[in-house]
Amino acid sequence: MSHSCVFIPSTACNDPAALTAPLLPTASRGGDNAAAAPASTAEAGGGHHGEKRGLKRSLTVVDGVCMVLGVVVGSGIFATPGVVLVDSGGVPLSALIVWLCAGVVAYSCCEVYAELGSSIPHAGGDGEYIQLAFGDLLSFVFMWMFFFVSTGGGIAILIVTFARYTIALLPGMQGASQEQMELGVRIIGCSFTLLLTAINCAGVKAGALVQNILTVTKALLIAAVVACAPIFVALHGTSVAATNFSQPLPPISSYNWSRAGAGLVAAVWAFDGWNCLGYLSEELKNPKKDLPRSLSFGMLTAVGICLAVNSAYFCILPLAAVGKSEVVAVEAVEAVFGPPSGRFIAFLVALNVLGAANATLLCHARFFYAKARDGQLFSFLSGVTSGGAPYASLIATGGWIAVVVFVAANHLEKLIDYFGIAAWMFYGLVGASLIKLRWDLPDLPRPYKASLYPLPGIIVVVASTYLVISSLVTQLVPSLLSLAFVFAALPVYFAIRCMRSTACCAASCTKTASTVHIIPETDARKPLLS
């Protein structure tokens, strides 16, 4: 095999079995060193004077389920029911069908990630799947998007939503001016971002413990909302439910499919977050079994919760109230127990959103740690504490989120428009990766295979294409700005590649082969940034 200077080769080894082990830093990969890698931890640098520190396999399947529910059951099911109802023609049954279709898309995504995550248990998650399937260019573009768009936009949306709920509950803020409210949202958002960052720096178990506690409050919130339906019926009769559910489904020939598509976009966005568990695959005790189980059980539970909560709304509130409400859960509980109960529910909703932000922050930081460990980001981001927390990437991630929250706290709607199209473009690419890797690597050990293959991959690709086109049609300017920012990664990629190639060729011309170690293309990645 010829040896040449390379720029981030796509794979570590032609042997498919080697892909199931966590990847090592550039200096340690290839040859006998790779074979000697421990299965449960990965070496990490970050200024530890050569001490071997890495992620620790300490998460159980229960932790995995809590992570999935923590991310998926966030603000969406409490913020978008009115949008989905209106876009579904104002018919409850039609809205529930849209929610169910969104659940099918979300579960198909889970099937894709369950197979890829169990067969390639790497903290790089989506980026690793895309790199193996489509190479370095698209993987770099994803990494760029993930930091600037997905992390900065997605988590900032959750933090701002939490801050808005929280400041509305503070005594004395009801009469505050708009400027005071905006400043309060910034202060609360940035403060809690830094608090979550500090907690997760204490270790994955600390972050998981906080997440499990917040998941309990999530369960309490959902139980309270769903239980309100039979209580309301017992106290006030079935007239509201009968009126709402008696609305007939519109004829297929006259159904506004484009409007329903907009509702599907909102409903699928409410289920977003199925990819986060892949970033924890190096910390699950048994990722080959626990990751598919956590994804499947977590998403099925989330879909069931969503259908139950929306049905409860339709049993309590008139359709006009559901359609225009921005805090429908609060209004539903107030209709049963009176205004004082609304503040308690708003508090639980705030904690629920905070839990989603915590889980997402914990997961996203692992991606940047993995890329730095593998030599594709600045090496200082691979720093790990003795407790197995990637503190450097957590601090960088939390700091970037705090900046976005402080700058864009008053533009939540623009953040949502900015985030959606970029995220779905790469979800579709991951769906295509499932099919391509089945073709390219038929011998890759797959502890879990997606059910009804290739249907889940096809559903994800089709849904992603539809959602991207829909975003371009309905939100043209924000979507184009988002795409322009994503594809700004291309000149950066080629500039770095040119610099690396120039430096590599210069080194090969000035040093003899006996003193220069040229890394084979199939043996290791060359660092992108150091």
Side-chain angles (χ1 to χ4, degrees):
M1 179 183 298
S2 62
H3 289 62
S4 60
C5 294
V6 293
F7 176 81
I8 322 180
S10 300
T11 63
C13 181
N14 287 332
D15 177 12
L19 298 174
T20 62
L23 300 179
L24 298 178
T26 302
S28 301
R29 294 185 56 205
D32 297 333
N33 292 336
S40 60
T41 61
E43 288 186 45
H48 294 299
H49 307 291
E51 180 185 357
K52 291 183 178 181
R53 288 183 179 179
L55 305 179
K56 300 181 184 298
R57 294 203 183 279
S58 56
L59 298 179
T60 66
V61 67
V62 174
D63 295 323
V65 171
C66 287
M67 287 294 171
V68 173
L69 290 175
V71 177
V72 174
V73 186
S75 61
I77 66 170
F78 303 108
T80 58
V83 176
V84 176
L85 176 65
V86 172
D87 289 340
S88 302
V91 180
L93 289 177
S94 180
L96 291 176
I97 291 173
V98 170
W99 280 108
L100 185 60
C101 291
V104 171
V105 173
Y107 189 79
S108 298
C109 290
C110 284
E111 285 289 299
V112 170
Y113 279 88
E115 176 173 324
L116 292 175
S118 61
S119 56
I120 310 169
H122 187 276
D126 304 51
E128 197 66 21
Y129 315 146
I130 292 171
Q131 186 171 32
L132 291 172
F134 297 105
D136 308 318
L137 175 58
L138 290 179
S139 178
F140 180 85
V141 176
F142 172 80
M143 181 168 62
W144 175 281
M145 182 281 301
F146 195 76
F147 182 77
F148 289 108
V149 181
S150 184
T151 298
I155 304 180
I157 291 170
L158 296 171
I159 291 292
V160 170
T161 302
F162 163 77
R164 286 183 176 181
Y165 268 99
T166 302
I167 199 168
L169 294 172
L170 295 178
M173 291 304 295
Q174 284 72 19
S177 65
Q178 182 67 25
E179 291 75 13
Q180 291 174 322
M181 294 289 286
E182 292 176 354
L183 179 61
V185 168
R186 286 191 174 97
I187 293 174
I188 292 174
C190 292
S191 299
F192 273 87
T193 298
L194 299 178
L195 175 62
L196 293 179
T197 301
I199 291 173
N200 283 286
C201 283
V204 67
K205 291 302 293 183
L209 177 61
V210 170
Q211 189 58 45
N212 293 348
I213 294 172
L214 292 174
T215 301
V216 172
T217 65
K218 188 189 305 287
L220 180 61
L221 168 63
I222 293 165
V225 173
V226 173
C228 281
I231 295 175
F232 182 86
V233 169
L235 294 175
H236 304 284
T238 61
S239 58
V240 174
T243 300
N244 290 344
F245 285 104
S246 65
Q247 300 289 325
L249 288 171
I252 295 178
S253 58
S254 60
Y255 191 63
N256 191 338
W257 292 100
S258 60
R259 188 74 180 273
L264 181 64
V265 172
V268 173
W269 179 79
F271 287 120
D272 186 32
W274 47 76
N275 62 323
C276 281
L277 195 60
Y279 306 121
L280 297 176
S281 57
E282 291 184 31
E283 292 163 280
L284 290 169
K285 290 182 177 179
N286 187 357
K288 295 181 180 181
K289 292 183 179 180
D290 292 349
L291 192 144
R293 289 172 180 172
S294 299
L295 281 173
S296 298
F297 184 78
M299 184 54 71
L300 287 175
T301 302
V303 173
I305 287 172
C306 195
L307 293 175
V309 167
N310 277 273
S311 297
Y313 296 151
F314 297 141
C315 290
I316 300 171
L317 298 173
L319 296 182
V322 176
K324 68 180 182 180
S325 176
E326 295 182 355
V327 286
V328 62
V330 174
E331 293 187 12
V333 175
E334 285 183 344
V336 178
F337 297 108
S341 64
R343 294 181 64 83
F344 175 67
I345 293 300
F347 173 70
L348 291 182
V349 171
L351 290 181
N352 173 62
V353 176
L354 185 66
N358 177 70
T360 311
L361 170 64
L362 186 151
C363 296
H364 281 211
R366 268 64 183 176
F367 171 82
F368 302 116
Y369 157 79
K371 290 300 180 183
R373 181 194 64 192
D374 293 344
Q376 299 174 70
L377 273 177
F378 297 107
S379 59
F380 70 84
L381 292 175
S382 65
V384 181
T385 67
S386 58
Y391 70 90
S393 60
L394 278 165
I395 292 172
T397 304
W400 170 237
I401 295 168
V403 169
V404 175
V405 169
F406 188 82
V407 172
N410 304 317
H411 306 284
L412 178 62
E413 292 75 16
K414 292 182 179 179
L415 280 177
I416 294 174
D417 296 338
Y418 174 63
F419 166 71
I421 186 171
W424 273 103
M425 186 169 59
F426 285 96
Y427 285 150
L429 205 57
V430 173
S433 297
L434 173 74
I435 300 173
K436 191 171 187 299
L437 290 177
R438 279 279 192 110
W439 179 266
D440 292 346
L441 300 173
D443 297 326
L444 174 68
R446 291 177 169 85
Y448 179 86
K449 292 188 176 182
S451 303
L452 302 177
Y453 173 85
L455 188 59
I458 294 173
I459 290 176
V460 173
V461 171
V462 171
S464 299
T465 302
Y466 174 79
L467 291 171
V468 168
I469 294 174
S470 176
S471 296
L472 287 170
V473 171
T474 59
Q475 301 288 343
L476 179 60
V477 174
S479 297
L480 289 178
L481 289 175
S482 179
L483 289 177
F485 190 84
V486 168
F487 287 111
L490 296 178
V492 177
Y493 171 87
F494 286 111
I496 296 175
R497 179 171 185 172
C498 181
M499 289 187 293
R500 298 262 340 150
S501 298
T502 302
C504 191
C505 290
S508 64
C509 291
T510 57
K511 295 186 179 182
T512 63
S514 60
T515 59
V516 180
H517 176 62
I518 305 300
I519 301 175
E521 182 172 357
T522 56
D523 286 345
R525 290 184 174 90
K526 287 289 290 181
L528 174 58
L529 299 173
S530 58

